[in-house]
């Protein structure tokens, strides 16, 4: 049994992942801005799986209080075994091209806040020489496309950060896993992606994440076929790629 902190616990993917981790007997500390959904999730997990579930307030953009937040969680739980960063923001690409505030919100939520809180977590687990650090990035970060390159660039930054963290913490016995989902049927993609055969169920993605942690994966494409799709896309020469309507 491990004690795992989930940041952004009320997203569809996070809820599915929490159910799978709870099935495996892990105690959970959940955070979200949506306290009503968080309380509902806590009751469901506690009753269904008989695990200890705690709720903690967390503001991803309140960088000055991340250190105190993490220290408080560690003190109240007696020590953490893992942290999952599962929140994100995606604004409309066309809006973000002309409104820097929309771009900056994605940068701050998807990248700056991740670096802030995961730096603290990394130092903690490095001292323990044990732990799991997992963050949900995106296949959108694998190559810039005109349809979502601002969002994709924030995820590319997160993926590179996680890669470096994995390189740093490998010899310390800390697992660092980057999750790269493709299109998932969530509130974030509602109205953006319609009737695509590539649209994945959040429960499938949540199960893949829980299994990936157990199997100590480094990078997880979910569903699996995105590994093949992105491998092909990354191999397209730039001279041809820039002419494509993607």
């Amino acid at each position: 049994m491990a004690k795992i902190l989930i940041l952004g616990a009320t997203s569809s993917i996070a809820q599915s992942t929490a159910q799978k981790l709870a099935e495996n007997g892990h105690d959970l500390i959940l955070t979200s801005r949506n306290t009503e959904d968080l309380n509902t999730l806590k009751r469901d997990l506690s009753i269904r799986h008989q695990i200890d579930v705690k709720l903690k307030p967390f503001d991803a953009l309140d960088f000055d209080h991340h250190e105190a937040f993490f220290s408080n969680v560690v003190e109240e739980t007696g020590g953490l075994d893992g942290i999952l960063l599962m929140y994100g923001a995606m604004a409309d690409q066309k809006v973000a091209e002309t409104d820097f505030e929309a771009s900056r919100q994605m940068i701050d939520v998807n990248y700056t806040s991740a670096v802030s809180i995961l730096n603290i977590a990394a130092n903690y687990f490095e001292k323990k020489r044990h732990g799991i650090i997992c963050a949900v990035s995106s296949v959108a970060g694998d190559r810039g496309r005109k349809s979502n390159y601002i969002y994709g660039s924030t995820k590319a930054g997160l993926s590179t950060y996680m890669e470096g963290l994995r390189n740093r913490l490998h010899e310390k016995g800390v697992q660092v896993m980057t999750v790269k989902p493709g299109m998932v049927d969530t509130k974030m993609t509602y109205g953006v992606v319609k009737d695509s055969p590539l649209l994945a169920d959040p429960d499938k993605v949540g199960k893949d994440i829980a299994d990936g942690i157990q199997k100590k994966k480094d990078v997880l494409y979910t569903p699996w076929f995105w590994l093949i799709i992105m491998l092909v896309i990354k191999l397209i020469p730039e001279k041809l790629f820039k002419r494509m309507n993607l």
Side-chain angles (χ1 to χ4, degrees):
M1 178 187 297
K3 285 176 279 188
I4 298 177
L5 170 65
I6 302 181
L7 305 175
T10 55
S11 73
S12 300
I13 295 175
Q15 290 193 45
S16 298
T17 305
Q19 291 287 351
K20 297 301 177 184
L21 293 174
E23 281 181 19
N24 294 334
H26 301 310
D27 292 331
L28 302 174
I29 303 95
L30 310 177
T31 78
S32 173
R33 289 180 303 176
N34 189 331
T35 55
E36 184 176 342
D37 284 357
L38 207 57
N39 277 298
T40 302
L41 179 61
K42 176 185 178 181
R43 286 194 297 272
D44 181 57
L45 290 169
S46 301
I47 295 170
R48 192 189 299 244
H49 304 290
Q50 302 294 303
I51 63 166
D52 183 37
V53 182
K54 291 182 170 56
L55 306 183
K56 297 294 293 183
F58 174 72
D59 184 344
L61 299 181
D62 190 4
F63 310 129
D64 291 341
H65 290 89
H66 284 182
E67 185 88 50
F69 161 80
F70 193 84
S71 297
N72 179 261
V73 171
V74 169
E75 183 179 345
E76 286 195 11
T77 59
L80 282 174
D81 299 292
I83 180 172
L84 276 60
L85 190 149
M86 309 196 78
Y87 59 76
M90 183 172 67
D92 182 89
Q93 169 68 26
K94 289 299 180 187
V95 172
E97 288 174 10
T98 56
D99 180 358
F100 178 65
E101 283 304 313
S103 294
R104 187 165 69 176
Q105 183 186 26
M106 286 192 287
I107 295 166
D108 285 348
V109 172
N110 296 343
Y111 184 71
T112 313
S113 74
V115 173
S116 173
I117 188 66
L118 294 185
N119 274 354
I120 296 165
N123 294 336
Y124 170 77
F125 290 121
E126 184 176 38
K127 289 179 182 174
K128 287 187 68 174
R129 301 183 72 86
H130 160 77
I132 302 160
I133 298 175
C134 169
V136 176
S137 184
S138 170
V139 297
D142 279 12
R143 194 153 192 187
R145 296 175 294 123
K146 65 180 180 182
S147 59
N148 70 349
Y149 66 87
I150 298 177
Y151 168 78
S153 69
T154 66
K155 292 299 189 179
L158 176 59
S159 294
T160 301
Y161 171 85
M162 292 293 285
E163 186 176 28
L165 204 58
R166 186 160 45 250
N167 186 223
R168 167 189 161 191
L169 297 179
H170 172 70
E171 64 180 15
K172 304 294 183 181
V174 180
Q175 180 194 2
V176 179
M177 185 172 88
T178 309
V179 180
K180 295 186 177 183
M183 295 179 290
V184 186
D185 189 10
T186 65
K187 293 178 182 176
M188 184 182 287
T189 59
Y190 181 76
V192 178
V193 181
K194 300 176 182 176
D195 300 327
S196 170
L198 300 178
L199 194 64
D201 188 307
D203 286 344
K204 164 63 177 167
V205 175
K207 181 180 184 306
D208 284 350
I209 294 172
D211 289 347
I213 290 172
Q214 195 161 356
K215 294 176 182 176
K216 299 188 179 302
K217 285 185 173 290
D218 294 325
V219 180
L220 173 71
Y221 283 85
T222 173
W224 65 269
F225 50 76
W226 281 103
L227 172 62
I228 309 300
I229 293 173
M230 296 316 299
L231 180 62
V232 171
I233 289 178
K234 286 190 288 188
L235 288 173
I236 299 174
E238 187 65 27
K239 286 187 178 180
L240 176 61
F241 191 79
K242 69 181 181 183
R243 292 178 169 81
M244 299 177 72
N245 187 26
L246 296 172

